[in-house]
Amino acid sequence: MKANNKKSNSFKKPLLISLGLHVVLFVALIWGADFTMSEPKPTGQMVQAVVIDPQLVRQQAQQIRQQREAASKKEQERLDKLRRESERLEKNRKAEEENIRKLKEQQAKDAKAAREAEKRRVENEKKRKAEQARLEQEKKKAAKAEADRKLKEAALVKAEKERKAKEAAIAKAEQERVAKEKAAQEAAEKARKEKEAAERAEKQRIAKEKEAAAAAEKARKAKEAAARAEKERKQQEAALNDIFAGLESEQISNNAALNQHLEDEKARYISIYQQTVQRNLLMEDSFRGEECVLNIQLTPIGGNKAVVKRVSVVSGNRQLCSAAKAATVKAREFDFPQDSSLQNIFRDFDFRFSP
């Protein structure tokens, strides 16, 4: 509705402009005319007159015609647009009516299908009830047959149990006889093994006593060797102190003394490693008099300790080397020197071991 009002206003505007131009033209014509009836008086002045330009009149007329044609064209366009809109609405109305018709047809089909489905459901329900009744009858017959079968089966089970009980009694008697024979054999075997175990235990006890005595002797000797090494180290330290105090300017002598000190310290740590491996060695009589060379790599862990990073056999008795390698791994930690020169030596060194 607002669109129609806007279109009507758009047509009124050029009409009002045209009407206003006509009014202006009419007033101009009247203004130029003289309607007085007095007699003309002769004067010496010129008569003034309003002259209308025909070209201007034609232009205004042409403009009015163009405005009317434009207004007529817009009106026609409006009418055409209204006609198209009316046709579109009519088309939509017909399409909606067609949709309603199809919907009603579909509803009718659905209602018919529902009635037929209900009819089939009723028939199926009747069939189901008939089938259920037949199954109930069959179930009763099957239950009676099952009861008869169970009675017969119970009789067979009872007879089978009696037969198995007799066989079990015979088997039990046989098992008891076999068990008694087996128990007698096991008792004899146990007595034999106990005797052999006692003999082995006695042999092991004697061997362990020998090993303990040998280990005690070795420990005593190692302790004495360590004491001697410590005494020698202290003497060497005292000698070095004397040398350093009296011969500070003699660099060559100092270097010789330092090298000797390093060699002594190296020997001392080798002795300590010998004792450490000896403590963890599983000693055998065949190891006596044999020798083994191991390559040991140590990694410092702080303080004066180091752990075994890797150990490998270089040469020597195979069995002794295997046992010495296992003892080295078992020991795990070794004393480690604080002197950087000695540390470089014992990070990766060959160790000669003789139990």
Side-chain angles (χ1 to χ4, degrees):
M1 188 67 182
K2 291 181 179 180
N4 293 334
N5 290 335
K6 289 181 179 180
K7 291 177 181 179
S8 178
N9 292 333
S10 65
F11 290 123
K12 289 179 179 179
K13 187 176 180 180
L15 292 175
L16 292 173
I17 293 172
S18 177
L19 181 60
L21 290 174
H22 282 77
V23 170
V24 170
L25 181 58
F26 181 74
V27 170
L29 292 173
I30 294 174
W31 184 267
D34 188 4
F35 294 98
T36 59
M37 299 300 293
S38 59
E39 293 180 359
K41 296 179 179 180
T43 61
Q45 297 180 351
M46 295 180 64
V47 177
Q48 294 181 352
V50 177
V51 180
I52 299 175
D53 188 357
Q55 182 65 27
L56 179 60
V57 174
R58 284 194 299 271
Q59 288 178 355
Q60 292 177 348
Q62 180 67 22
Q63 186 177 3
I64 292 171
R65 283 195 300 271
Q66 290 176 353
Q67 290 175 352
R68 288 180 178 177
E69 290 175 357
S72 177
K73 184 178 180 181
K74 288 184 178 181
E75 179 64 17
Q76 186 62 37
E77 290 177 352
R78 185 181 70 81
L79 294 175
D80 292 340
K81 186 175 181 180
L82 291 174
R83 178 181 56 77
R84 289 193 298 272
E85 182 68 17
S86 177
E87 291 175 354
R88 185 183 67 79
L89 293 175
E90 180 65 16
K91 185 177 180 181
N92 292 342
R93 184 187 63 76
K94 290 181 178 180
E96 185 66 23
E97 289 179 353
E98 180 66 17
N99 290 335
I100 294 171
R101 183 186 64 78
K102 290 181 179 180
L103 180 61
K104 288 181 178 179
E105 290 179 356
Q106 184 63 37
Q107 289 175 347
K109 289 180 181 179
D110 293 343
K112 183 178 179 181
R115 290 193 299 272
E116 292 177 353
E118 179 64 17
K119 183 178 179 181
R120 287 194 299 272
R121 187 191 66 77
V122 172
E123 292 177 355
N124 291 334
E125 182 66 17
K126 289 181 180 179
K127 291 179 181 179
R128 186 188 65 78
K129 289 182 178 179
E131 180 65 18
Q132 186 176 3
R134 185 185 68 78
L135 291 175
E136 289 292 333
Q137 189 66 24
E138 292 291 334
K139 187 175 180 181
K140 289 179 181 179
K141 291 180 180 179
K144 186 174 181 302
E146 180 66 14
D148 295 340
R149 185 189 64 76
K150 286 183 177 179
L151 290 174
K152 292 179 181 179
E153 186 177 351
L156 292 173
V157 169
K158 183 178 179 181
E160 182 66 15
K161 284 183 179 179
E162 292 175 353
R163 182 185 66 79
K164 288 183 178 180
K166 291 179 181 179
E167 291 180 353
I170 296 171
K172 183 177 180 182
E174 180 64 17
Q175 288 176 356
E176 289 176 351
R177 183 188 66 78
V178 172
K180 288 178 181 178
E181 292 180 356
K182 185 177 180 180
Q185 293 176 356
E186 289 178 350
E189 181 68 16
K190 182 178 181 182
R192 183 183 66 79
K193 290 182 178 180
E194 288 177 351
K195 184 179 178 181
E196 292 178 353
E199 292 175 353
R200 286 196 302 272
E202 182 63 18
K203 290 180 180 179
Q204 291 176 357
R205 184 186 65 77
I206 294 171
K208 288 181 179 179
E209 287 180 354
K210 290 181 179 180
E211 290 178 0
E217 181 63 19
K218 287 182 180 180
R220 184 184 64 78
K221 290 180 179 180
K223 185 176 181 180
E224 291 177 354
R228 287 195 299 274
E230 180 65 18
K231 183 177 180 181
E232 292 174 357
R233 184 186 66 79
K234 289 181 179 179
Q235 291 175 352
Q236 290 168 358
E237 286 181 355
L240 288 172
N241 290 333
D242 293 340
I243 291 171
F244 291 145
L247 304 173
E248 291 180 353
S249 62
E250 298 179 8
Q251 188 64 36
I252 297 175
S253 298
N254 288 342
N255 290 338
L258 180 60
N259 290 335
Q260 183 62 43
H261 171 70
L262 292 176
E263 288 296 323
D264 293 339
E265 281 294 288
K266 180 179 178 181
R268 186 172 71 85
Y269 275 97
I270 290 294
S271 176
I272 294 173
Y273 295 166
Q274 175 81 17
Q275 296 173 30
T276 302
V277 175
Q278 186 72 43
R279 283 196 303 270
N280 292 277
L281 180 70
L282 296 177
M283 184 64 185
E284 294 182 8
D285 292 337
S286 60
F287 294 167
R288 299 184 186 281
E290 298 293 338
E291 189 178 75
C292 174
V293 178
L294 301 176
N295 178 262
I296 300 176
Q297 294 181 8
L298 298 177
T299 300
I301 58 174
N304 61 342
K305 294 293 183 180
V307 295
V308 177
K309 180 181 179 182
R310 190 177 70 86
V311 57
S312 59
V313 176
V314 177
S315 63
N317 182 273
R318 183 176 60 82
Q319 293 181 347
L320 175 59
C321 287
S322 178
K325 181 179 179 180
T328 303
V329 174
K330 182 179 179 182
R332 190 174 177 275
E333 285 189 2
F334 286 82
D335 292 342
F336 200 68
Q338 298 299 302
D339 190 285
S340 60
S341 299
L342 292 174
Q343 286 182 350
N344 293 331
I345 293 173
F346 287 108
R347 287 180 188 274
D348 188 348
F349 65 101
D350 289 341
F351 172 61
R352 189 175 300 276
F353 175 73
S354 179

